[in-house]
């Protein structure tokens, strides 16, 4: 008994002695071993991290810094001929953010941006889902239909927008010619604030349907056909099969494409700028076009104000992504 007791005490003492060393191994030593073991992975990732740091990180840091100053066209450093004028802008802290958030223009732009984003994403998702369901069935010429529906995605965005601008022309546009042929007066597509909003939403939906359709079609093809066969044998109708099999099977894909489409639409500069230039007046201006206007249109160009708008846009999208992720986690989705 004494021998066993002494051995137990010795083992316990040995465990206590080894305890700190184990905890030490879980700190810097563990990181060192990970780097040593997976050095090739770190070496392959390093160039990507460096490029992203230069392309994304530096402009982001520079933009945040400018948003905390009063930099504009008149006080930034510039070279005129042989003369170099030093920058004279100063650090002003959060004054720019206070000014933008208190400006009624910010609330107007934010409201229309949210309406524009929700309308575009919801319509695009509904039409993309419908087309994906149609193309998921076997019928003659399915490949040709798929290519035709993907075509808007293949054409450069500015080409598509200019084509739509021609279609929306009040005097010579194809759409108004068709309406006049039916005895309907011409519609001021780009000259009336309400119709201009309808026009930009239409164009953005037309551009976004191919991506949504392809993504959802891939999700549909991953759902086992046996589920539909079993449900049909149990007497489930088309709506019941869609509700209880199709939508749950597309949940993961749908959440991803909705998030991506929301971010893209929220920052969709080309459609607004090339189609309406934010007009008529400023009725179709969204947050990102307002940031562009601050930096490149208005005089003097307000670089600090534009950077402030950009940082606020980034903050809003980050808040949305965090809330969206938390809602997914509550629903049991891992993202």
């Amino acid at each position: 008994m004494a021998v066993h007791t002494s051995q137990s005490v010795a083992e316990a003492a040995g465990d206590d002695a080894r305890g700190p060393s184990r905890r030490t191994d879980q700190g810097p030593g563990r990181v060192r071993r990970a780097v040593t073991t997976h050095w090739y992975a770190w070496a392959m990732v390093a160039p990507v991290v460096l490029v992203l740091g230069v392309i994304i990180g530096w402009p982001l840091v520079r933009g945040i810094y400018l948003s905390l100053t009063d930099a504009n066209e008149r006080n930034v450093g510039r070279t005129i001929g042989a003369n170099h004028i030093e920058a004279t802008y100063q650090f002003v802290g959060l004054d720019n953010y206070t000014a933008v958030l208190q400006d009624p223009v910010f609330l107007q732009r934010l409201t229309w941006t949210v309406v524009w984003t929700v309308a575009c994403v919801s319509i695009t998702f509904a039409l993309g889902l419908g087309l994906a369901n149609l193309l998921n069935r076997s019928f003659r010429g399915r490949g040709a239909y798929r290519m035709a529906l993907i075509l808007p995605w293949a054409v450069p965005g500015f080409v598509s927008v200019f084509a739509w601008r021609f279609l929306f022309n009040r005097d010579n546009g194809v759409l108004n010619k068709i309406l006049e042929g039916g005895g309907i007066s011409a519609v001021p597509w780009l000259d009336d604030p309400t119709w201009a909003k309808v026009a930009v939403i239409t164009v953005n939906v037309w551009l976004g349907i191919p991506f949504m359709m392809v993504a959802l079609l891939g999700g549909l093809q991953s759902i086992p056909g046996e589920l539909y066969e079993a449900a049909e044998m149990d007497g489930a109708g088309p709506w019941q099969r869609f509700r209880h099999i199709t939508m749950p099977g597309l949940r993961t894909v749908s959440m991803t494409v909705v998030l991506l489409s929301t971010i893209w639409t929220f920052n969709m500069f080309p459609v607004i700028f090339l189609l309406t230039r934010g007009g008529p007046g400023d009725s179709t201006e969204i947050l990102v076009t307002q940031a562009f206007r601050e930096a490149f249109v208005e005089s003097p160009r307000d670089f600090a104000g534009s950077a402030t708008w950009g940082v606020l846009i980034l903050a809003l999208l980050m808040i949305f992504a965090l809330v969206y992720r938390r809602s997914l986690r509550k629903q049991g989705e891992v993202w």
Side-chain angles (χ1 to χ4, degrees), residues 7-17:
Q7 290 178 349
S8 300
V9 173
E11 291 175 357
D15 292 339
D16 292 340

Side-chain angles (χ1 to χ4, degrees), residues 116-126 205 212 257-258 261-262 265:
W116 142 271
T117 303
V118 172
C120 289
V121 173
S122 58
I123 297 173
T124 303
F125 180 82
V205 168
M212 193 71 70
V257 296
V258 166
S261 183
T262 300
T265 305

